[in-house]
Amino acid sequence: MDILTEDSLLIKKYVSGDEKALEFLIAKHNKRLSSFIYSKVNNRDITEDIFQDTFIKVIKTLRRGTYNEEGKFLPWVMRIAHNLIIDHFRKTSRMPMFQGADSFDIFSLIGDDKLNAERQLIKDQIDCDLEVLVAELPADQREVLIMRIYKDMSFKEISENTGVSINTALGRMRYALINLRKIIEEHNIVLTN
Amino acid sequence: MGKIYATESDKHRSAKASPSTVKFLLDYSKALEITEANGLQFESNLN
């Protein structure tokens, strides 16, 4: 039995429900097809992906009963792989993939400035603790600090709203901070992020 | 020179899909169910 007829026999067996025949088919052409793909893409992971996609197409076509190239199984599979390789290069040229190397890491340029879950939790905790500490401040200092830090108002706006001079507002802000530090030190509170 | 070419082609020849990929394909094949209704074919994966 020559190789080509053996393929068509395996296909017939597979189509009629013998899963073992597919295993033989894959094992038989694994090396040749993988080498063909690898010679084009030069990357083991991409070779595996394309090999897998090729056989998924093969399986679908055989199971749908639309395969009609009797005796030319390998050239047909190679053509599918070839088309998938072209698709791969089209995709990568449209959207180049950068891989991190020791000399250059793309993530040193692209960063995610959002806090991760742990840091967000710590930040929330600190905000919560600070709220309690701010509540301890004398009313005039607390008012200025809240306007400046939480409401993001300028000292000019604060002075207009509270009816005191800019210098007084600045002074109250200064004392608010000094007192906050004092409370933190007195109670040995650690606020870090 | 000949030696260099030989090493390169060896690298290509040694490429082979991993057993896990082969297993995936065999499992995929077992799970794939093609049903026909009104001349249309439908694919479904049975787990």
Side-chain angles (χ1 to χ4, degrees):
Chain A
M1 193 185 282
D2 68 293
I3 297 167
L4 291 176
T5 47
E6 203 182 313
D7 273 349
S8 58
L9 199 74
L10 286 171
I11 290 163
K12 257 181 213 155
K13 276 186 174 177
Y14 174 61
V15 171
S16 57
D18 183 1
E19 293 286 336
K20 203 83 187 153
L22 178 71
E23 201 175 336
F24 283 127
L25 265 177
I26 295 174
K28 192 178 163 197
H29 300 296
N30 187 344
K31 221 171 175 182
R32 197 152 170 204
L33 186 64
S34 297
S35 305
F36 168 70
I37 300 166
Y38 186 78
S39 69
K40 306 282 183 239
V41 297
N42 217 19
N43 178 305
R44 292 217 178 255
D45 294 332
I46 296 167
T47 302
E48 294 260 346
D49 285 352
I50 294 176
F51 181 90
Q52 188 175 299
D53 290 347
T54 305
F55 263 97
I56 284 176
K57 277 183 188 281
V58 169
I59 290 167
K60 276 186 186 171
T61 310
L62 294 180
R63 293 289 292 274
R64 279 171 177 269
T66 47
Y67 175 73
N68 56 9
E69 294 188 334
E70 284 267 350
K72 292 180 206 160
F73 179 71
L74 189 63
W76 172 62
V77 176
M78 292 286 221
R79 207 161 54 239
I80 295 173
H82 182 253
N83 289 339
L84 287 172
I85 292 166
I86 292 172
D87 285 351
H88 161 73
F89 281 118
R90 270 198 201 130
K91 222 188 293 167
T92 46
S93 67
R94 225 182 301 138
M95 207 160 67
M97 190 174 90
F98 291 100
Q99 277 177 329
D102 288 341
S103 53
F104 172 73
D105 185 5
I106 188 69
F107 291 109
S108 63
L109 298 176
I110 306 167
D112 181 8
D113 49 1
K114 273 188 197 160
L115 293 172
N116 63 25
E118 191 190 356
R119 288 193 174 276
Q120 185 62 49
L121 265 176
I122 296 170
K123 189 184 174 296
D124 290 347
Q125 249 167 24
I126 292 172
D127 289 349
C128 208
D129 290 348
L130 261 177
E131 233 168 86
V132 177
L133 296 178
V134 169
E136 296 285 312
L137 291 172
D140 52 351
Q141 292 172 22
R142 186 173 62 233
E143 192 184 24
V144 174
L145 184 129
I146 289 172
M147 283 179 174
R148 180 72 197 115
I149 305 291
Y150 292 99
K151 296 182 183 167
D152 205 22
M153 289 162 74
S154 67
F155 281 104
K156 190 169 177 270
E157 286 167 331
I158 294 170
S159 80
E160 282 164 9
N161 270 274
T162 52
V164 295
S165 69
I166 292 179
N167 275 338
T168 310
L170 278 166
R172 284 179 182 173
M173 182 69 195
R174 185 170 169 264
Y175 280 107
L177 293 177
I178 290 170
N179 286 328
L180 264 184
R181 286 199 188 102
K182 232 186 251 171
I183 301 169
I184 290 167
E185 264 171 41
E186 273 171 21
H187 294 86
N188 288 323
I189 301 166
V190 182
L191 296 171
T192 50
N193 196 354
Chain B
M1 209 46 178
K3 213 173 180 182
I4 298 169
Y5 286 134
T7 332
E8 188 58 28
S9 61
D10 278 354
K11 208 167 108 191
H12 289 169
R13 245 178 271 142
S14 65
K16 204 176 172 191
S18 68
S20 61
T21 306
V22 175
K23 192 182 176 300
F24 169 82
L25 288 167
L26 296 174
D27 290 344
Y28 173 80
S29 163
K30 276 177 204 157
L32 183 69
E33 190 72 34
I34 304 228
T35 39
E36 213 172 318
N38 298 330
L40 292 169
Q41 286 184 324
F42 298 96
E43 280 173 24
S44 54
N45 276 291
L46 308 170
N47 283 312

